[in-house]
Amino acid sequence: MVERTRAPAQADRALQREVATRQAEEEVRLLLTLTEAISTAEDFHSALALTLQKVCEFAGWEYGEAWAPNERKDRLVIASSWHAKNEQAERIARARHGISFAPHEGLPGRVWSSRRPEWNDERALRSGIVRQPAILELGVRATFAIPIMAGSEVFAVLLFAMLEPRRESTRQVAIVSSVAAQLGSIIRRKRAEDELHKRETLLRTIVDSSSSVIYLKDAAGKYLDANRQYEQLFHLRPSEIRGKTDHDIFPGELADVFRANDVKVLEAGTAMEFEEVVPCDDGLHTFVSSKFPLLDSSGKPYAVCGISTDVTELKKKEKELEERLLQQEGFSQSVLNTVQVPVLLLDQEGRLDYANPCFERLSGYRLEEARGKDWFETFLPPGERERFRNAYRTVLAGAPVVGDTSRIVTRDGCEREIEWNANLLKDKNGKLIGVLCSGLDVTERRRAESWLNSLVRAAPDALVSIDRRGSIVEFNPAAERLFGYSRDEVAGKPVGLLMPEPYKSEHGDYIARYETTREARAVGRIRTVKAKRKDGSVFPIELSVVEIPTEEGIHYAAFIRDISERIKLQGRLIEHERLAAIGLTSAKFAHEISNPINGIYLTVQLLRQRLQQAGAADQKTLATLQTIVREIERLNNLLGDFRALYRSEQYKFQPISVAQVVAQTLALEEAEYAGRGIRVQVEIPADLPAVIADGDKLEQALLNLCKNAVEAMPWGGTLTVRAAVNGPEVAIEVSDTGTGIPADIDVWEPFKTTKKTGTGLGLVIVRRIVAAHGGTITYTSEFGKGTTFRLTLPLRPQESAAEKSAPL
């Protein structure tokens, strides 16, 4: 009879193990399919669409949507959708167009706020807080929504709809939930790539919109790239530029000059400025070319970038003006009427005496209505007037002004930025005529520079630039968020402020060595190092340093990315794979040896009973048999822990009182604690709110933590369990006054234990339980003084009136 009863139970357990094994294999296959699909997606929205398609195809669901937060992060908007090729699913897609959700509003809004998946069958859609008749009219009979997260941030909410009545499939939900938990970082990376592509496209648009000629050549003089202005000016397609040299495009003598200037920049390794003559459609033009080198990872220049501005008209104007002044008395206006830069003549009182047609077009004023007006009061904004009056007085005193920039106010109230040169104008007899001002409209250039600065400030990665002394010059908002300092706090401070040892001590010597030997250890490379925040915490970063030649001297810029989450994720993935492998092996191993072990256990028990009944066993023999029984029980417990690593656990989440679970946990071991001389303290406020949890699993986790704490106090001590609200979570702490954990012990490593009888799997299982609840677990320990384990669980989400009547 016993054998007949045992056989079905064993068969049932074997079936459960087989189901769990297949589920884990399906989970891995789905994750691999999604990872491959997302990696090939063109952008963030395409990645979400592929995710929806693959999940629907896996689960046999007909419709899926992806909802993402808008720019203000105050509403969810639809980012992508997928549906089966049938009329009903297409009707749902049309009906959903243009909808958005606030937090707690509708199924997407509820899942966004609670950060927990939600399943609604047809009965739930017809009644209760999720009553949604509009969705039922579209033919939806069941819904499932799940958040895609990275850390604590929800990047998207995936919503699936079924057109046939369905009950919740725990297997499908468990697989999709497990896969979704691992997709967050992948989706986040795809979105970051999307944003980077947009910024690169914007930067290229800015470069192509520049009126200056911008180009890039390698060390051999071959063109690598050029902007649209270059292509239009010289009537060349991109394919006709790349790979060519100046000798392939320009006359030999001019090409020789261009090449010689490029070589000077490469040899000097710094920025230089040249005046170069270039043939254009209407003849030779004069360009001022600012050229600077690009450096490779060893610090060696590998390319030259040039920005050339056409100054032909300005040169022509200066030359013609000089010739006219030598030929006649007075001021010749006819010459200035033809130049395409603004030219003004101010009298000794600062009144406008002449403005050429270019200035008329720029300002919107005709010369007839502007002549005689005070230049400073009429054309300059209030904040510029006093400074330029002083500059004007300087010119009258005989000192010219070169390259001074001011804003002018046009007739329609707009402002333009002009870079001015100003000098005294005299006739051939030396009589003062006035102050001649010639300008260059740099408004668009300044806007481009502003765009670039905006890109730097909006960059998701931290940017820190330093001067040659190692003092901080630039510190963008991402750097402020990453390090905890404001820009004003670090400006001019040594960059070592952001470094732990040994990097801090070595940095000054490194800059000096690099500038002397050009031996690069960080410049031009991507390195993984450590950084230090304002609060003293040290964290891993990915560091990329570039050298930036400037007019003031060489600067260095570092792009910094916090890779803490990536390292944690890599560690979790490695641990997950290792535990899965261990669990799979142990499951097979347990399957093979469980029956023999049970047989041995029963045989030993029977043998002991017969020896006792026959009076044939002495105390030594009975003690030996009892030892064998204990070892078999220990082996069975170990196999149970093995199975727990691989088994896909089912959780029953519901509102749980933390105080009640703690009381039940401590009651189980109350007698043992007293026998060991352990004093128990419980510090839980009476008004502590409920958490969404599986009471049995939470009790198992707390029991393991309390058991470890007690075993760490072999000579007695105090076990303290406390709980408190911590923002959107409840934090539970289990503390002991025991021996502490040695610094060289990784408590999360399977089979790593300091106890003689421990398996090293208890804390691994605890962490798995906490992670399944959407919580975290950490610990602090001081050797010889005690240890505190701290786990957090999300609070129960609050319902709002919107939830009771919101659409899907």
Side-chain angles (χ1 to χ4, degrees):
M1 183 65 178
V2 173
E3 291 298 328
R4 287 198 301 270
T5 302
R6 184 184 300 127
Q10 292 175 344
D12 181 61
R13 288 194 295 271
L15 179 60
Q16 290 178 0
R17 289 193 295 272
E18 181 65 23
V19 169
T21 301
R22 291 182 180 179
Q23 181 170 318
E25 292 172 352
E26 288 180 321
E27 177 183 326
V28 171
R29 283 198 298 271
L30 179 58
L31 180 59
L32 291 175
T33 300
L34 288 173
T35 302
E36 181 179 0
I38 292 171
S39 65
T40 59
E42 293 183 359
D43 51 34
F44 174 64
H45 295 282
S46 299
L48 289 176
L50 285 170
T51 300
L52 294 170
Q53 178 182 351
K54 298 301 181 182
V55 172
C56 285
E57 290 174 348
F58 161 77
W61 299 335
E62 293 89 351
Y63 181 81
E65 304 173 329
W67 296 83
N70 61 8
E71 291 184 0
R72 296 190 302 273
K73 304 292 177 67
D74 61 351
R75 294 191 73 84
L76 286 179
V77 295
I78 193 162
S80 205
S81 65
W82 181 90
H83 57 78
K85 295 184 181 300
N86 63 62
E87 182 178 350
Q88 191 174 0
E90 292 174 357
R91 188 159 61 95
I92 296 174
R94 290 193 298 270
R96 303 287 284 173
H97 181 71
I99 300 175
S100 66
F101 294 100
H104 301 291
E105 182 182 358
L107 181 52
R110 289 199 302 275
V111 172
W112 183 24
S113 301
S114 68
R115 302 177 182 176
R116 302 200 61 81
E118 181 177 328
W119 176 285
N120 291 308
D121 57 17
E122 185 174 4
R123 181 179 179 183
L125 295 176
R126 292 186 182 279
S127 62
I129 65 169
V130 296
R131 183 171 178 269
Q132 297 162 21
I135 290 301
L136 289 167
E137 290 176 4
L138 290 172
V140 175
R141 292 298 176 262
T143 59
F144 175 60
I146 188 167
I148 300 295
M149 302 176 60
S152 59
E153 183 177 0
V154 177
F155 281 88
V157 173
L158 304 186
L159 186 151
F160 302 97
M162 290 123 259
L163 305 182
E164 298 294 335
R166 291 199 184 194
R167 293 184 178 180
E168 181 177 357
S169 170
T170 55
R171 180 184 68 83
Q172 288 182 338
V173 169
I175 292 174
V176 174
S177 299
S178 179
V179 169
Q182 302 178 60
L183 281 181
S185 61
I186 301 174
I187 295 292
R188 177 173 62 179
R189 183 166 62 250
K190 178 59 66 174
R191 190 178 74 172
E193 291 172 356
D194 197 9
E195 292 298 322
L196 178 61
H197 176 71
K198 290 179 182 177
R199 286 193 291 272
E200 289 174 345
T201 301
L202 178 60
L203 182 59
R204 182 69 199 191
T205 301
I206 293 171
V207 170
D208 280 341
S209 300
S210 173
S211 59
S212 296
V213 177
I214 303 175
Y215 45 87
L216 185 65
K217 308 177 204 174
D218 65 16
K222 294 182 179 180
Y223 279 90
L224 301 174
D225 202 359
N227 73 338
R228 187 174 293 116
Q229 179 68 8
Y230 188 106
E231 298 168 11
Q232 294 175 348
L233 188 63
F234 301 115
H235 309 295
L236 295 170
R237 295 189 301 272
S239 60
E240 296 174 315
I241 299 174
R242 296 188 182 96
K244 302 293 181 62
T245 68
D246 288 319
H247 287 86
D248 298 320
I249 300 174
F250 302 107
E253 293 182 358
L254 294 179
D256 289 340
V257 173
F258 300 157
R259 179 57 183 163
N261 292 340
D262 292 345
V263 171
K264 289 179 183 178
V265 172
L266 290 169
E267 291 177 347
T270 188
M272 304 179 75
E273 192 170 279
F274 306 94
E275 191 172 287
E276 298 178 329
V277 177
V278 182
C280 296
D281 292 345
D282 57 350
L284 295 177
H285 280 229
T286 302
F287 285 78
V288 172
S289 299
S290 176
K291 300 185 178 183
F292 54 92
L294 301 182
L295 309 179
D296 61 18
S297 59
S298 65
K300 180 180 177 181
Y302 71 89
V304 172
C305 182
I307 303 175
S308 299
T309 303
D310 191 342
V311 295
T312 305
E313 291 298 328
L314 187 60
K315 286 285 184 182
K316 186 185 297 184
K317 179 265 301 180
E318 291 175 349
K319 183 177 180 180
E320 291 178 350
L321 184 61
E322 182 180 353
E323 291 175 352
R324 292 288 185 180
L325 289 174
L326 291 174
Q327 294 174 3
Q328 64 184 53
E329 291 186 28
F331 174 57
S332 174
Q333 299 179 357
S334 61
V335 176
L336 301 178
N337 288 342
T338 62
V339 298
Q340 299 304 309
V341 295
V343 180
L344 312 171
L345 180 64
L346 305 180
D347 65 17
Q348 297 182 50
E349 302 300 323
R351 293 184 294 266
L352 183 68
D353 187 48
Y354 170 78
N356 71 340
C358 179
F359 180 78
E360 289 181 314
R361 292 191 298 272
L362 184 70
S363 68
Y365 288 93
R366 296 191 309 276
L367 177 59
E368 292 77 12
E369 61 182 327
R371 178 179 281 127
K373 292 184 180 294
D374 185 293
W375 164 257
F376 308 99
E377 295 296 326
T378 305
F379 295 98
L380 300 186
E384 301 276 357
R385 292 170 186 169
E386 187 60 30
R387 181 171 70 88
F388 269 83
R389 285 188 188 278
N390 292 333
Y392 185 73
R393 296 186 188 104
T394 300
V395 177
L396 288 176
V401 168
V402 179
D404 201 346
T405 302
S406 77
R407 291 172 291 139
I408 66 168
V409 181
T410 65
R411 185 169 191 149
D412 59 5
C414 297
E415 292 188 356
R416 308 289 297 182
E417 284 196 69
I418 310 296
E419 189 174 86
W420 295 106
N421 294 331
N423 209 340
L424 291 176
L425 182 65
K426 299 178 181 180
D427 63 18
K428 63 181 180 180
N429 297 319
K431 181 180 178 181
L432 179 63
I433 298 174
V435 174
L436 182 64
C437 306
S438 62
L440 181 64
D441 187 355
V442 295
T443 306
E444 299 305 324
R445 189 178 76 191
R446 292 285 191 257
R447 286 176 180 171
E449 291 173 352
S450 177
W451 268 106
L452 291 174
N453 289 333
S454 297
L455 288 175
V456 169
R457 297 190 66 79
D461 290 339
L463 175 86
V464 180
S465 67
I466 61 172
D467 59 20
R468 300 178 70 172
R469 299 185 304 275
S471 300
I472 297 174
V473 177
E474 181 59 49
F475 201 73
N476 74 343
E480 293 180 319
R481 293 190 297 270
L482 182 61
F483 289 98
Y485 292 101
S486 69
R487 187 177 187 275
D488 293 339
E489 285 181 287
V490 299
K493 300 287 182 63
V495 73
L497 182 72
L498 311 177
M499 302 176 183
E501 295 293 353
Y503 308 107
K504 181 177 180 179
S505 301
E506 297 173 353
H507 187 263
D509 294 338
Y510 175 73
I511 293 179
R513 181 173 60 251
Y514 172 71
E515 295 193 349
T516 301
T517 66
R518 310 304 291 179
E519 177 189 354
R521 296 186 182 178
V523 176
R525 300 179 180 179
I526 297 177
R527 303 173 62 209
T528 299
V529 295
K530 302 280 188 178
K532 186 173 70 172
R533 294 189 175 90
K534 182 178 181 179
D535 61 10
S537 60
V538 176
F539 61 103
I541 61 170
E542 195 172 76
L543 176 70
S544 175
V545 180
V546 295
E547 185 178 11
I548 306 175
T550 65
E551 294 179 358
E552 296 82 12
I554 299 294
H555 285 192
Y556 301 92
F559 295 89
I560 301 169
R561 178 173 296 175
D562 184 355
I563 57 174
S564 303
E565 289 301 320
R566 184 199 303 173
I567 290 177
K568 290 179 182 177
L569 178 60
Q570 289 172 346
R572 288 198 296 267
L573 288 176
I574 291 172
E575 180 181 356
H576 176 76
E577 292 172 357
R578 180 172 57 178
L579 292 179
I582 292 171
L584 180 59
T585 302
S586 64
K588 294 179 179 178
F589 179 68
H591 178 72
E592 295 297 328
I593 70 170
S594 59
N595 286 338
I597 288 178
N598 287 335
I600 295 170
Y601 180 79
L602 292 174
T603 302
V604 173
Q605 291 280 43
L606 183 60
L607 178 60
R608 184 174 63 176
Q609 291 175 6
R610 289 179 178 175
L611 289 174
Q612 287 176 330
Q613 291 171 358
D618 56 21
Q619 290 301 317
K620 184 176 180 181
T621 301
L622 291 174
T624 301
L625 291 174
Q626 183 60 33
T627 300
I628 294 173
V629 169
R630 284 198 303 269
E631 289 302 309
I632 293 174
E633 290 174 344
R634 189 178 68 83
L635 186 56
N636 269 324
N637 290 335
L638 179 59
L639 290 176
D641 286 345
F642 270 132
R643 294 188 189 98
L645 293 179
Y646 190 67
R647 184 171 57 243
S648 180
E649 298 281 357
Q650 299 298 320
Y651 287 79
K652 296 179 181 179
F653 293 103
Q654 57 185 333
I656 293 293
S657 166
V658 172
Q660 183 178 352
V661 173
V662 170
Q664 292 171 352
T665 302
L666 296 176
L668 291 174
E669 303 292 330
E670 183 179 2
E672 182 177 351
Y673 296 164
R676 288 173 172 262
I678 303 297
R679 188 168 66 92
V680 178
Q681 289 186 179
V682 178
E683 301 173 6
I684 300 178
D687 59 348
L688 188 71
V691 296
I692 298 297
D694 183 314
D696 293 338
K697 297 295 192 301
L698 180 57
E699 185 176 322
Q700 180 186 352
L702 291 175
L703 190 62
N704 277 357
L705 292 178
C706 291
K707 182 174 180 293
N708 287 347
V710 169
E711 291 176 349
M713 300 181 287
W715 299 285
T718 301
L719 169 65
T720 303
V721 182
R722 59 178 65 90
V725 174
N726 180 33
E729 303 169 326
V730 166
I732 305 173
E733 293 184 352
V734 177
S735 302
D736 64 63
T737 57
T739 56
I741 300 172
D744 59 344
I745 293 294
D746 180 2
V747 300
W748 311 116
E749 182 178 353
F751 312 114
K752 194 78 170 182
T753 181
T754 58
K755 297 182 291 187
K756 294 181 180 179
T757 59
T759 65
L761 297 177
L763 285 176
V764 177
I765 295 172
V766 170
R767 184 158 69 166
R768 180 174 178 176
I769 292 173
V770 173
H773 283 75
T776 63
I777 181 168
T778 57
Y779 77 94
T780 57
S781 183
E782 187 172 354
F783 193 68
K785 292 188 177 181
T787 302
T788 296
F789 277 86
R790 187 175 190 269
L791 61 89
T792 63
L793 299 172
L795 281 169
R796 180 180 183 180
Q798 297 298 313
E799 296 177 4
S800 67
E803 288 183 281
K804 298 181 180 180
S805 59
L808 177 66

